[in-house]
């Protein structure tokens, strides 16, 4: 494989990713502002308040950062559509943001990432790497909140990871336990929600 600087690398497998480019052509020359996508506010209104945008084409608010970004995944499109529809019908509220996430099945090996999987400044992380079992898990904490996660080869906790991040639940003593054993994510979820009287 030859890189753009002319250097060569030998590899058995090459994976390339191009990312996603929002098609904003339809609003070109109009009063609707664009950046990476069509800019919207928390009600999914464009710079023309009578016109809404949602889904891949919209640059909406990110749950984890509060920044406005294109998140080209189906759950975000669904969420955007719901918020836009409610606001168009006069029953809307401000959008709290969508969680960036990806779940990928690569010839049977499931990998996933949620939220701030790369971590935050001053945050802490826990990691388990078990190549013999094709398993990996990485948790990212900000204080005693789980803010991001990535994993390979473990699927049973995927919903719990999302739930813990989106609920911004205080992990309390469970954080230290997860730092020791990041696979104890289900126990942490049940423990935290029980302590709050949810379960
Ligand atoms: C190969 C592939 C795999 C994917 N896998 C996943 C996945 O595993 N999980 C996941 O969450 N997401 C996945 N996605 C992303 C997901 O498909 C999109 O995020 C989602 O479909 C976005 O919905 P949308 O309604 O915003 O856009 P779209 O589904 O693209 O719908 C937009 C519609 O608008 C129409 N349109 C465009 N321009 C005009 C115009 N000027 N006038 C009228 N109509 C117009 C288009 O024809 C299209 O029907 C994948 C995408 C691709 C391409």
């Amino acid at each position: 494989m030859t890189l753009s600087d002319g250097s060569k690398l030998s590899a058995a497998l090459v994976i390339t990713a191009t990312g996603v480019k929002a098609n904003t052509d339809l609003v070109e020359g109009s009063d609707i502002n664009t950046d990476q996508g069509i800019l919207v506010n928390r009600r999914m209104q464009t710079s023309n308040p009578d016109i809404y945008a949602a889904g891949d084409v919209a640059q909406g608010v990110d749950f984890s950062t509060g920044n406005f970004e294109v998140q080209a995944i189906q759950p975000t499109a669904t969420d955007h559509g719901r918020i836009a529809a409610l606001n168009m019908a006069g029953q809307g509220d401000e959008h709290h943001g969508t969680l960036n996430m990806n779940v990928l099945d690569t010839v049977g090996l499931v990998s996933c990432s949620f939220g701030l999987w790369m971590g935050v400044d001053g945050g802490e992380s826990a990691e388990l790497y078990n190549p013999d079992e094709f398993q990996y898990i990485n948790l990212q904490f900000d204080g005693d909140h789980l803010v991001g996660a990535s994993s390979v080869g473990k699927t049973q906790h995927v919903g719990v990871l999302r739930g813990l991040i989106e609920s911004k639940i205080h992990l309390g003593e469970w954080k230290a336990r997860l730092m020791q054993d990041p696979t104890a994510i289900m126990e942490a979820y049940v423990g935290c929600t029980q302590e709050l009287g949810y379960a």
Side-chain angles (χ1 to χ4, degrees):
M1 184 177 65
T2 307
L3 303 182
S4 54
D5 66 0
S7 59
K8 289 185 189 301
L9 289 176
S10 59
L13 175 70
V14 177
I15 300 174
T16 60
T18 59
V20 174
K21 187 171 182 296
N23 181 357
T24 55
D25 289 356
L26 79 162
V27 296
E28 216 173 274
S30 74
D31 61 347
I32 295 175
N33 294 337
T34 62
D35 177 33
Q36 301 295 311
I38 295 178
L39 286 165
V40 291
N41 62 17
R42 284 177 182 265
R43 295 179 186 273
M44 308 310 299
Q45 285 168 306
T46 67
S47 45
N48 180 330
D50 292 329
I51 299 180
Y52 293 71
D56 282 8
V57 82
Q59 192 168 334
V61 65
D62 179 278
F63 170 82
S64 301
T65 62
N67 297 332
F68 286 73
E69 292 165 7
V70 171
Q71 263 182 22
I73 51 171
Q74 190 273 336
T76 297
T78 308
D79 216 23
H80 278 183
R82 185 177 59 81
I83 300 280
L86 284 169
N87 279 295
M88 282 190 267
Q91 297 176 23
D93 205 354
E94 299 221 321
H95 190 204
H96 71 286
T98 42
L99 185 69
N100 208 355
M101 61 181 139
N102 277 289
V103 181
L104 187 67
D105 183 338
T106 313
V107 286
L109 187 65
V110 175
S111 55
C112 66
S113 66
F114 293 94
L116 299 171
W117 52 268
M118 70 303 272
V120 292
D121 285 347
E124 290 178 280
S125 64
E127 186 178 61
L128 176 105
Y129 176 48
N130 184 358
D132 294 338
E133 302 276 331
F134 300 100
Q135 289 185 342
Y136 173 82
I137 183 163
N138 179 295
L139 306 179
Q140 295 289 337
F141 303 96
D142 187 3
D144 75 343
H145 292 290
L146 185 70
V147 291
S150 44
S151 78
V152 177
K154 293 180 81 63
T155 52
Q156 66 273 34
H157 56 244
V158 163
V160 167
L161 288 175
R162 181 181 178 181
L164 279 176
I165 297 170
E166 280 200 308
S167 60
K168 294 189 174 172
I169 209 161
H170 283 287
L171 290 164
E173 67 186 45
W174 285 98
K175 181 188 166 187
R177 292 166 78 166
L178 287 171
M179 291 288 286
Q180 288 230 309
D181 177 10
T183 65
I185 195 80
M186 185 64 83
E187 291 92 319
Y189 183 76
V190 173
C192 290
T193 48
Q194 264 177 351
E195 281 157 26
L196 290 171
Y198 295 161

